[in-house]
Amino acid sequence: MRLRQPAWRILASELNDSGFEHRDEGEFAPNFIITPLGAMVNRVYFVGTLGLLESSGGDDGNPFYRGQIMDPTGRFHISCGQHQPEALRALQDIEVPARVAVVGKIRTFTLDSGGLRVGVRPEIIRPVDRDAQEYWLFDAVRHMRGRIEYMDEAMRMGEPNEEKLLAIGAPKRLIDGILRSVELYGSVDLNKYRSQMVSALSFILEGDDGGDGALPDYEPEEKAGSETELLESAIMDYLRLGGSGGVPYEDILQEMQDKKLSEGPDLIEEALDELRNQGLIYEQPMGTFHLI
Amino acid sequence: MDDKEFDGHVKDVVKALKRQGIEANEEEISRNLGRMIEQAGEGYKMVANSKTLIVKGYKGDASYLWRPEDRLVGEVTLDDRYVNVMGKILSWNEATSQDGRKRHFGTLMDDTGSISFVVFKGMETPFVRGDGVDIENAQVREGRDGKPQLILGDRSAMELDRLNRLGDLELPSQEAFSGTISEVDRELPAVTVRGRVIDVSDKDIRVRGEEKTVSVGVISDGTGSINFTDWEHRPFTIGSVVTITDAYTRVFMGRVDLNISERSRIETEEDDGEIPALEELKEVTSVAPSLQKLSVSDLNGTSRGFSLEVQVMDRREKTIETRNGEKEIVSGVLADSTGTISFTSWGEFEHEEGAKIRIVDAYVKEFNNRLDVNLGDRTVIEVLGDDAVDPVDYEKEFVERNLTKLTVSELSPTYQNVDISGRLLTLGDRELPGGRKLREATLADDTGKVQVSIWTDADIEVKRCYRIAHAYVRSFRGVPQLQIGDRATVELLPEDSFGTAAFLSESRLVEIADIPSEGGAMDVKLHGIVLEVRQGSGLVDRCPDCQRVLRNGACMVHRTVEGTRDLRTKAILDDGTGAVNLILNRKLTEKVLETTMEECERLASEKMSREPIEKMISDTMVAALWEVSGDVNSDDYGFQMIARDVDRVHMPVRDKAREFLQSLSDSGGMN
């Protein structure tokens, strides 16, 4: 019997910091990402503000959405296509910005730099009220505190193992992940996550002031990030104009510079890599880009 | 990376593409490769990956990149991907892999050195030692010893060197090695050793699907001992002194084994007393871990590398979850005259109950205060004669030794001999259809409740505390049930051993991860979020005969019937540690919706659709926190709870958050 994978309550920052994946042997074995705090995550549940939603494709009847959902520590990246019909229908009805709850499976993309980019394929997405968000945050922090404590202990142990972790009261369900995390990440900066617990709890308490459950006013916090988003969508638009012959790299570079979206090739290449990793474009031959 | 090296990489890519008929602009490749190397790094692997990516970008086959380099044997390094080499075969062996495919392996040498090779493709004519060969396009990988090794796959070739260019090269003599047993510490193609046989027995093995009997044993010369296998099954006498000529050694799992083959010679010699006597050698070898002969009662949690003569008393196959997925193992019980012990075999174990065997090189693990003999990769099992072992009274011993002390929440059908304590909350009589009578009870401890079937006339009363030993567990409708049978003993405990009946009757709040996946749990409380309300929730029609939900107005069994209206909810409840399929009946669905089924029917007929009812349930339940109670049962599809009660949990999150913040700053973890 294979139990349904639990939906981890996990803050965006911890999820996005994950650098490793794991897949058990076997045909239908689920794959996991291993977070720095030792969560082995296949499915997540989170609540946040959907601040950015863009649709691409569409002409061929295969809509595809990408979006960002913010929590007090960072942003979840979601992407959703025809294989997630329920979430797709829900997204078509949602007006940005909106407070939403998402249940989804982890998707990963390996960047050319060797890093891991963590995204979420929503199974379910729906608008929720502030109560749901506060409860989720509280739950996520509660679980996170446990992981921080056990990671702290595990990193102090000379050679952490299952027995020692059980002895300090670590729940069985966390042990495998903690051991893997210590092995893979070595030393983890726990204070970073401790201060994120404070941010998350403070966010809940801010609700006391407003009281009316108004949407939190989140700006995407990384400026570079939003530039990249703009750039990516501009490139997609430009490629759409290019037709079946594809568009040479030099033209893209020129166009983006003309539009003042980028001064040099660095950001553009990053954006192209990103789009390629997401399976939105391909390069054939080298230097000529097409929409998929 | 200097320009010359970089240009080399660019040329590699251009050539690889050209060989496949793909024309590419060298400048373009240079630009892209430069960009990728700058991003990915200059490491060998990074560069190789970048080159592969570029070739693939042109829809090419990356294997064309790795044009073999001409190398002398001694020049091959781990940096090479594909090489052409020429050499003389120093050894040539054949092995059959688990899927029945033959492969060859051996060692190749020339004036500059030697290298091992493995041939994965079929070979029409086997080569023999001394053949000069040309190897083309062999892949280089790291061998188990950390040295480069040649892999000959489908695209590789190995041919006799007709020019015999290495004709003058002399191979090291096969009789080269002769020394004391302690000096035989590596793989050698030809060995001569002299020693006293201190143990020997027959072993039945399968070689390429055929049964074969070989002799296995140990010889020792006072400096050390070595395990041997005589593939020709020649007779050995324990205590005799022999010289074995032209055998070879293999290193397997860190242990050197002596292989005596067809071409080896065994001479029994006069015992000149030069080699220590048998008893003395046994003494010495018993220090060498692989030979220590122990009895079951000698074993402790740190025993390893011993041999054990036992009878298999019980065996069963089971599938367990490991880090690497599911694995078939065999476990059971072994016994000799000194006691019984459980065992786990991680590989094949073909010996049936009753078989008498010698287990060589096993280790003991301690788990839950219980010893378990583990048979691993290096364990060898030999079949013994019928009169070899005289086991103790297994039934009695086993029952005492393998008793597992558990709490109620830990119960699952995996446990067949349980020691458990608690208070009896209920007790009643029941008659089975065949007329057989039993008593049924509920037992509770601080962790939960379990249904108990009592098949004996054990003296028990409701509300009292008991310790029950040697009970077993059955799964009934996916929930564990404790069974008190003939073997079980029941002992009255002091009244204050457990909380009051009223306290214990409360459902326990549990995390889903703590429910045994093969067990389920009786009467528990869960706190979780509803993630999803499933299709088929809301108003349904049921077959009046079998209560199945009708589909398109028809029952799967009773065809078209006049359905009975019902209201229900199927949902997924998840607490962050696990999930259950939650089922709410009409009463509980009405409670959740704060309305009646009649009201729902009215709404559905008004809207001409039942969908709004399903949506109403989903809008009410999803993303909210619920407390549900009932039995959790497990089946092939996971956990299911048919709820006895459901309530919305209104948690004062802000108060809790404030407390939490306070506790964080109190614990000083924020420095």
Side-chain angles (χ1 to χ4, degrees), chain B residues 583-597:
Chain B
I583 301 198
L584 305 181
N585 62 15
R586 171 181 167 180
K587 199 182 102 211
L588 295 178
T589 306
E590 286 178 333
K591 181 176 179 183
V592 164
L593 291 178
E594 295 175 336
T595 184
T596 60
M597 183 171 87

Side-chain angles (χ1 to χ4, degrees), chain B residues 123-184:
Chain B
M123 277 283 162
E124 295 276 308
T125 39
F127 292 89
V128 294
R129 181 181 144 90
D131 281 345
V133 290
D134 257 334
I135 293 176
E136 273 180 33
N137 204 30
Q139 196 189 337
V140 179
R141 74 161 185 205
E142 191 172 340
R144 251 187 292 187
D145 51 4
K147 292 183 201 153
Q149 187 178 39
L150 302 177
I151 306 297
L152 280 79
D154 286 334
R155 276 201 294 272
S156 317
M158 185 170 192
E159 279 169 12
L160 208 57
D161 173 28
R162 309 237 170 252
L163 302 173
N164 198 16
R165 283 168 290 185
L166 285 172
D168 297 339
L169 180 70
E170 276 202 29
L171 295 181
S173 159
Q174 284 214 266
E175 270 72 36
F177 189 85
S178 169
T180 64
I181 288 178
S182 65
E183 289 167 338
V184 183

Side-chain angles (χ1 to χ4, degrees), chain A residues 189-252:
Chain A
D189 176 13
L190 298 177
N191 281 335
K192 171 179 173 186
Y193 299 106
R194 290 194 178 105
S195 68
Q196 287 177 351
M197 292 201 288
V198 174
S199 315
L201 293 169
S202 308
F203 175 84
I204 296 175
L205 294 176
E206 278 165 25
D208 267 355
D209 310 332
D212 61 348
L215 278 174
D217 196 16
Y218 279 140
E219 282 300 315
E221 72 275 60
E222 307 153 39
K223 195 145 184 296
S226 70
E227 266 173 28
T228 314
E229 299 294 336
L230 271 177
L231 196 56
E232 284 173 19
S233 75
I235 291 173
M236 291 295 287
D237 289 340
Y238 187 57
L239 290 182
R240 222 164 271 139
L241 296 172
S244 59
V247 180
Y249 172 76
E250 289 74 11
D251 292 359
I252 300 175

Side-chain angles (χ1 to χ4, degrees), chain A residues 141-157:
Chain A
V141 173
R142 192 170 60 88
H143 282 287
M144 189 178 189
R145 181 189 210 178
R147 289 196 296 276
I148 290 176
E149 277 170 16
Y150 298 123
M151 272 304 285
D152 196 2
E153 297 279 355
M155 288 189 318
R156 284 168 209 267
M157 292 171 182

